[in-house]
Amino acid sequence: MANNDRGDKLKILFVAAEVVPFAKTGGLADVAGSLPQALALMGHDVRVVMPKYRSIKGEFVNLTDFPVAVGERRETAVLRRGAINASGGETILEVPVYFIDNYHYFDRDSLYGYYDEAERFAFFSKAVLEMLPRVDFQPDVIHCNDWQTGPISLLLKEQYQANPFYSKMVSVYTIHNLQYQGNFESSALKLLGVGDEYFQPERIEFYNLVSFTKCGLVYADVINTVSRTYAQEIQTAEYGERLDGLLRKRSRDLFGIINGIHHSEYDPGNDIYICSKFGPENLEGKRPNKQALQQEMGLPERDVPVIGLISRLVDQKGLDLIAAVMDQLLNKDIQFIVLGSGDRYYEQMFQEARRRYPEKVGVFIGFNAPMAQRIYAGCDLFLMPSRFEPCGLGQLIALRYGTIPIVRSTGGLADTIQEFDPITLAGNGFTFKEYNPKAMLEAIERAVQLCTGQPELWRGLLKKALSADYSWARSANSYVDLYHLAVEKSKNRAKSP
Ligand code: ADP
């Protein structure tokens, strides 16, 4: 992609099912909360839209309400408006956030996992398109993220673009995790308001189901995912989740852009959740956080390497590798701290490890953002042995807090973490390639040895981690390039007969 320095400002609608600080289950929410800020600070008119879940509290402005047809139902979308504050240097501005509210679909305990998921997100997708004339916003680009927003690309291209209000809009579809696809019974066609002719493999049928992901992958003007390596991997049968054929077909429109993190939200020099602030000029400030964390987790305050793991507890995250060598790992003179929730099996596995090694293992099952920050700050090492990883934010946040990642080299982990070389001092972590427990254990051993046996090298590595830039500075530009490319492509398509 060409470097974007054109100065022309875009109008961007950023659509996501979860957005920090309003709702979060994983990395998508971090991206949706921080990338729009970076774009706004570059001068673009960017607005965010998401569902208004029950858990979202706050004073929002009521804008309007309007009808949305979902199959036979005629539902009402209530539109509210809030904001995210973006600050950079001297500039402080507000990124508008629209909330699509509907009591029936979104006033529930959790964000996802309901019997009528197709209906909920068909409603959301349609409501997003329907709201635009009502708020008088004509974006150049609608940026859709993951399957919940896929129908927007489909409906924009196949229905709404016929209307002059929408005719110039393009859509970009970002894959944050190809494993979550939104596949539903064929009755979902009616919910989307499209005919049976869409139920074929070239369109949105996927093994006799309707795929909301395919709505995005087939109909968006350009597609991207959140690292270059994952963009390559998903074009193979091993990582492609049975969509690799389609992705290969669209390979000219498929890009990889690594995520950034929000430097001021994750800032060890200014973090309200940690007991002692630190940074590249104050490495010593990290130590009290380790002691506080050991206390919080009920572990003895010993000066041994503390390894953290903060994760959704699902197969993707490589937890079976840990299971296979749990005893070997815990026979080392280390401590291991786990924060996560997900599959019962893994929750119990870590609780059982805690029961058997109470002096070495700390476990908190649940989702707890402040505790996550204390773990990032208090650990020495951060373990991420993922089977696949589109980008991964944990390793970047860990580095930001001077906690050195041990990762499997896949997807975004391969693009962000390189093995530390004690001779050249290149690299920023510890890596292994083969998906097997022995390779993981060896990487952990290298990390532990450096941490305990080479204090000078360790301090250097720590300082390097704390000094590096993981912000959106680079990648936000790549997104602007991507948006321009989508606009160009769509113009060219319109010209060609
Ligand atoms: P994924 O999106 O697959 O869950 P990422 O590494 O991209 O993985 O992003 C995970 C994000 O969620 C990180 O910000 C991580 O700190 C956070 N996170 C994961 N589990 C928890 C938890 N149990 N409590 C708090 N934060 C969590």
Side-chain angles (χ1 to χ4, degrees), residues 24-28 30 177 266 310-312 316-317 339-341 366-369 372 376 384 389 392-394 397:
K24 168 168 168 174
T25 68
L28 165 63
D30 286 300
N177 190 332
Y266 297 114
I310 301 173
S311 183
R312 292 183 296 114
Q316 176 200 337
K317 299 295 178 179
L339 166 61
S341 63
F367 193 93
N368 189 327
Y376 285 119
M384 240 171 132
E389 195 60 74
L393 294 175
I397 305 170

Side-chain angles (χ1 to χ4, degrees), residues 178 181 183 206-207 209 236-237 239-246:
L178 196 60
Q181 298 189 351
N183 297 326
F206 183 68
Y207 298 93
L209 296 171
T236 67
Y239 291 91
E241 305 286 349
R242 300 195 293 175
L243 287 163
D244 45 299
L246 169 58

